[in-house]
Amino acid sequence: MIGRLRQKLANHEFLRHVLTLMSGTAVAQLIPILASPIISRLYTPAEMGVFTICMSVVAVVVTISAGRYDLAIVLPRKEEDARGLVKLATRFNTVVCTVVGLLLLVFAEPLAERMGIPGFRWWLVATAGISWAFAQASVFSYWCNRHKGYGLLARNKLGQAVATTGTQLGLGALSWGPAGLLVSTFLGQAWSTVNLFLRSRKEIYRLPHTSTRQLMREHRKMPLLNAPTALMDSVRTNGVTLLIGNLFDSVAVGHFGQAWKLLQTPAALI
């Protein structure tokens, strides 16, 4: 039975890649689920609410921070074009997240006062850095996807989950509050980004690439047409969290965020 299964997988590359990627993703999804009962006792619902609001902002920013050029990395036939798109998406991501961080420095205070959450301004400003880490990990993931590095992606997903959840537990035990949740999320994504960068930097940065201006012209539909649609969809989904925080309080957002995360886990796996 096992021999026949191995033979079948050996003859079907696509199925083999799917199982490899799903195995790492499944374990990565299982780790935070198993840790949820402990995390929910280390952090109060109000602290989880602050974290949920910040991550909703991150989800919106990440949608467009790379200009959707990251999605195009898998498309070109020429490796020079793909390398150029990685660099273009990285530059776009850095610029957008920097601008978002500066805007939040100015406008986060009125939002914090509106929601009545002390210190929320600085937690909200921190979402710019978290957004950059999320988007940059996605950029390198698309490069690995292009080269069928599914084993690397599965291991990276698992390592990111371990780093994030382990740090959340540790900082929660030290009573870091919302800062612990945000710092752990950033560290997990930063680990993921650095790991993928180290594994792919020679292929990307030591070989020639197509000019940025040419790639922007060829793939102009990504930021002009794809990005607005993706942004509206992200605002529609994540705006609910901000609406709950505005109408009620961070405690209600915390309960909603925990329930939503558990409900979304099967969909995320698929």
Side-chain angles (χ1 to χ4, degrees), residues 161-184:
V162 171
T164 301
T165 304
T167 311
Q168 282 182 348
L169 294 172
L171 296 180
L174 296 175
S175 301
W176 274 45
L181 292 167
L182 292 171
V183 168
S184 62

Side-chain angles (χ1 to χ4, degrees), residues 6-188:
R6 289 178 178 175
Q7 183 64 31
K8 190 176 184 62
L9 291 177
N11 295 332
H12 293 80
E13 183 185 32
F14 176 75
L15 181 60
R16 188 170 67 252
H17 289 327
V18 169
L19 292 177
T20 299
L21 194 57
M22 280 191 65
S23 61
T25 304
V27 177
Q29 293 286 344
L30 185 61
I31 290 174
I33 291 177
L34 294 177
S36 290
I38 303 175
I39 291 176
S40 63
R41 285 162 177 78
L42 293 175
Y43 300 94
T44 66
E47 292 169 344
M48 293 298 299
V50 172
F51 174 68
T52 301
I53 294 172
C54 290
M55 291 309 297
S56 295
V57 176
V58 169
V60 173
V61 175
V62 167
T63 303
I64 60 169
S65 61
R68 308 296 282 179
Y69 289 117
D70 51 337
L71 298 177
I73 292 172
V74 299
L75 300 178
R77 293 184 178 181
K78 296 181 180 179
E79 284 292 285
E80 293 86 351
D81 291 354
R83 293 189 199 101
L85 284 169
V86 171
K87 297 178 181 180
L88 174 58
T90 299
R91 293 169 184 170
F92 211 95
N93 179 38
T94 302
V95 171
V96 169
C97 289
T98 300
V99 172
V100 168
L102 294 175
L103 291 175
L104 288 174
L105 275 174
V106 177
F107 297 106
E109 187 63 31
L111 184 59
E113 294 176 356
R114 175 76 177 178
M115 294 187 174
I117 304 175
F120 183 60
R121 176 188 182 185
W122 301 111
W123 292 324
L124 197 58
V125 171
T127 59
I130 298 174
S131 299
W132 182 89
F134 265 94
Q136 198 56 42
S138 177
V139 170
F140 291 132
S141 294
Y142 277 108
W143 173 265
C144 294
N145 192 10
R146 173 184 176 86
H147 293 86
K148 300 181 180 180
Y150 300 115
L152 172 59
L153 288 175
R155 293 189 298 271
N156 189 72
K157 202 81 169 178
L158 180 59
Q160 181 265 323
V162 171
T164 301
T165 304
T167 311
Q168 282 182 348
L169 294 172
L171 296 180
L174 296 175
S175 301
W176 274 45
L181 292 167
L182 292 171
V183 168
S184 62
T185 301
F186 174 76
L187 291 177

Side-chain angles (χ1 to χ4, degrees), residues 184-257:
S184 62
T185 301
F186 174 76
L187 291 177
Q189 289 300 319
W191 182 92
S192 175
T193 301
V194 171
N195 182 47
L196 292 177
F197 167 75
L198 292 176
R199 299 299 183 92
S200 57
R201 68 185 187 281
K202 293 181 180 180
E203 302 170 357
I204 299 174
Y205 295 98
R206 296 187 180 180
L207 294 172
H209 63 89
T210 306
S211 69
T212 299
R213 182 172 299 179
Q214 179 180 338
L215 291 172
M216 291 181 66
R217 183 169 58 251
E218 290 179 0
H219 298 277
R220 61 185 179 276
K221 290 183 180 180
M222 300 305 288
L224 295 179
L225 299 179
N226 190 294
T229 303
L231 178 61
M232 288 188 292
D233 188 58
S234 182
V235 170
R236 175 185 60 82
T237 303
N238 296 283
V240 174
T241 302
L242 300 176
L243 185 62
I244 293 175
N246 187 44
L247 296 177
F248 300 97
D249 54 23
S250 58
V251 175
V253 177
H255 289 305
F256 172 79

